[in-house]
Amino acid sequence: MTARGKALPRLGPAAAAALLLAHAGCSPYATGVHGAHATPPSAGVPWTPPAKAAPLPRRDASAAVPADLAERLARLTLGDVVDLALRNNSATAASWASARAAAASYAAERRAYLPEASLEGSVTRLKSAATQGRSAVTQTIYSPAATLSYLLFDFGGRSGSVDAARQTLLAADWTHNATIQGVVLLAEQGYFRYLGTKALLAAQRATLAEAETNLDAATERHRLGLATLGDVLQARTAHSQARLALESTEGDLMTTRGALASSMGLPANLPYDVEAVPDSTPVFSVADSVDTLIDRGLAVRPDLSAAWALARAARARVAATRADGLPSINLSGSAGKTYVNTRPRGSDVWSGSASVSVPLFPGLTHRENVKEAQAEAEALEAKARGLSDQVVYEVYSSYYAVRTATQRVRTSQDLLASARQSEEVALARYKAGAGSALDLLSAQSALADARAQSIDARFGWYSSLAQLAHDAGILGIDGKSPLRLEADTTETSP
């Protein structure tokens, strides 16, 4: 009944089913996903996943560590770090898969130079109607045949497609090499950053121990009436600052440790450690000139080689596209045999033909396709030229960054030696009562800064060498610097 008391019309079963289907189709929840609603009920409500959702794939952490490295996981060298990164990094796996796909595509395009062959066969069952004077006849016809066709000439269309596939394969291979060098660079930079943070933590622990000694000394001198309360407060402030810096570096160490694990394709929480680099490692200068390294980068940078290969592939596609509007010559032939149950010996059937296909009016689409291919080739060539300029700049910048880093190491060593002597003198004067607590704290603060700068300079030098090798396109996968180094003969001030 309606609100006015009128009866609704009675619906038949078919009409009721149609009404329910229409209502279900209009409902936002008509389509479900494994028992859950397809969408949330409103914009401000999150979607509720099904109760039995498919489990996400999880990677076994132990599977990421090869057996030959598991035993020395607590003392990984730089070579081990690079090795793990190359084995586990998903970027190298993806670039390798892309290269294999390009190789398969090139192999498929090369098959255009081979003839196409096929086997065909048919079975036909016939029954003729009975006619006046003749009875009905039933026949079974077997017709096996082999067909061969070959594209003899097409004005460069086939060769253009093959050349484009070849250059695309070369680009994929060069891209894989560039990906490997990028992974190696990230692993080496993460390795040196982690070691630098560890060294800085050790230096700050020494600074904290010195601050504790000074605080105890200031407290004792104040008790004996040889120091003021201000000296004690200053020493306590320096102690708190040293502890705060130490705690911050401890947090940074865990962050850099996780980043290094991630660059190796390992879980961040996997227990591991790296072997320390001795501080006595001599610092060398790059023997090659910047012009030599620029020429080498322009010759062997894998990403630059990939860019030019893509440009050549686009230029080859121009020829293939242009050939679509030109004639082509084809050869074809077939041979077969026809067997009829009434004549079991069969009869030979064969044919051969040569055909010429001449597009009389390919239309405006072909002309625009050629223009599009030419424009794409010009765009990729322009990108390759731009990348060449970028390579020159990157090698130039990295070269002088290495020179600056080398000078920083020498200068920071002199600074550390001076700061250490200054702190020793200030401490002796303070103990003798001839110096103030402020002078001692200032000298110790300068010593802490000198320690940090020395550590940053040394490990920054390692990273700058890796960056220069990467920019020059010669970064290897063994963790060793491929650059020619020589002893630094730069004179420093006494």
Side-chain angles (χ1 to χ4, degrees), residues 27-322:
S27 173
Y29 312 111
T31 304
V33 181
H34 296 295
H37 292 313
T39 60
S42 65
V45 178
W47 177 68
T48 302
K52 295 183 178 180
L56 297 177
R58 302 191 63 179
R59 188 178 185 185
D60 185 8
S62 60
V65 182
D68 56 333
L69 295 179
E71 296 180 355
R72 56 179 187 270
L73 197 59
R75 294 180 61 84
L76 295 175
T77 63
L78 178 58
D80 296 334
V81 169
V82 172
D83 188 12
L84 283 169
L86 292 177
R87 294 194 197 191
N88 297 326
N89 197 285
S90 58
T92 56
S95 63
W96 181 47
S98 298
R100 287 184 287 124
S105 177
Y106 174 51
E109 289 292 340
R110 290 183 61 188
R111 291 191 177 93
Y113 284 106
L114 301 176
E116 296 183 0
S118 62
L119 293 177
E120 301 176 356
S122 64
V123 178
T124 305
R125 181 75 170 174
L126 298 176
K127 183 179 180 180
S128 61
T131 59
Q132 188 176 18
R134 299 182 62 183
S135 61
V137 178
T138 302
Q139 290 181 322
T140 302
I141 303 173
Y142 303 92
S143 302
T147 302
L148 189 69
S149 62
Y150 181 67
L151 175 63
L152 187 63
F153 187 70
D154 66 346
F155 288 91
R158 175 175 51 188
S159 60
S161 298
V162 172
D163 189 32
R166 181 190 303 113
Q167 296 298 333
T168 302
L169 171 58
L170 293 176
D173 288 333
W174 283 121
T175 300
H176 178 61
N177 289 356
T179 303
I180 286 179
Q181 289 198 1
V183 169
V184 172
L185 178 63
L186 289 178
E188 291 192 4
Q189 289 180 337
Y191 172 81
F192 293 125
R193 191 177 299 114
Y194 177 58
L195 282 181
T197 307
K198 286 186 67 175
L200 180 61
L201 183 63
Q204 289 179 342
R205 284 172 178 162
T207 301
L208 179 61
E210 294 169 352
E212 290 176 348
T213 301
N214 293 339
L215 178 58
D216 294 340
T219 303
E220 181 63 19
R221 286 173 60 85
H222 177 261
R223 188 183 68 81
L224 297 176
L226 301 177
T228 64
L229 180 60
D231 293 344
V232 177
L233 295 177
Q234 288 177 348
R236 186 172 297 157
T237 300
H239 178 267
S240 299
Q241 290 175 341
R243 181 174 293 278
L244 180 61
L246 176 66
E247 292 170 349
S248 298
T249 304
E250 287 176 343
D252 293 340
L253 180 65
M254 301 308 296
T255 301
T256 56
R257 184 186 181 282
L260 177 58
S262 178
S263 68
M264 292 187 291
L266 301 176
N269 59 343
L270 184 71
Y272 79 95
D273 210 340
V274 299
E275 192 174 44
V277 176
D279 294 339
S280 58
T281 302
V283 175
F284 297 99
S285 299
V286 178
D288 293 326
S289 66
V290 63
D291 294 333
T292 300
L293 292 175
I294 287 175
D295 292 340
R296 188 176 302 175
L298 291 174
V300 302
R301 264 279 288 260
D303 55 342
L304 181 59
S305 299
W308 281 113
L310 288 176
R312 289 191 292 269
R315 187 59 65 184
R317 280 192 289 271
V318 174
T321 304
R322 185 180 290 112

Side-chain angles (χ1 to χ4, degrees), residues 285-362:
S285 299
V286 178
D288 293 326
S289 66
V290 63
D291 294 333
T292 300
L293 292 175
I294 287 175
D295 292 340
R296 188 176 302 175
L298 291 174
V300 302
R301 264 279 288 260
D303 55 342
L304 181 59
S305 299
W308 281 113
L310 288 176
R312 289 191 292 269
R315 187 59 65 184
R317 280 192 289 271
V318 174
T321 304
R322 185 180 290 112
D324 291 339
L326 299 176
S328 62
I329 302 175
N330 292 270
L331 299 177
S332 61
S334 64
K337 208 171 183 66
T338 302
Y339 297 92
V340 183
N341 59 344
T342 59
R343 289 180 295 172
R345 297 186 61 181
S347 58
D348 296 331
V349 179
W350 61 270
S351 66
S353 65
S355 62
V356 178
S357 175
V358 181
L360 294 180
F361 184 68

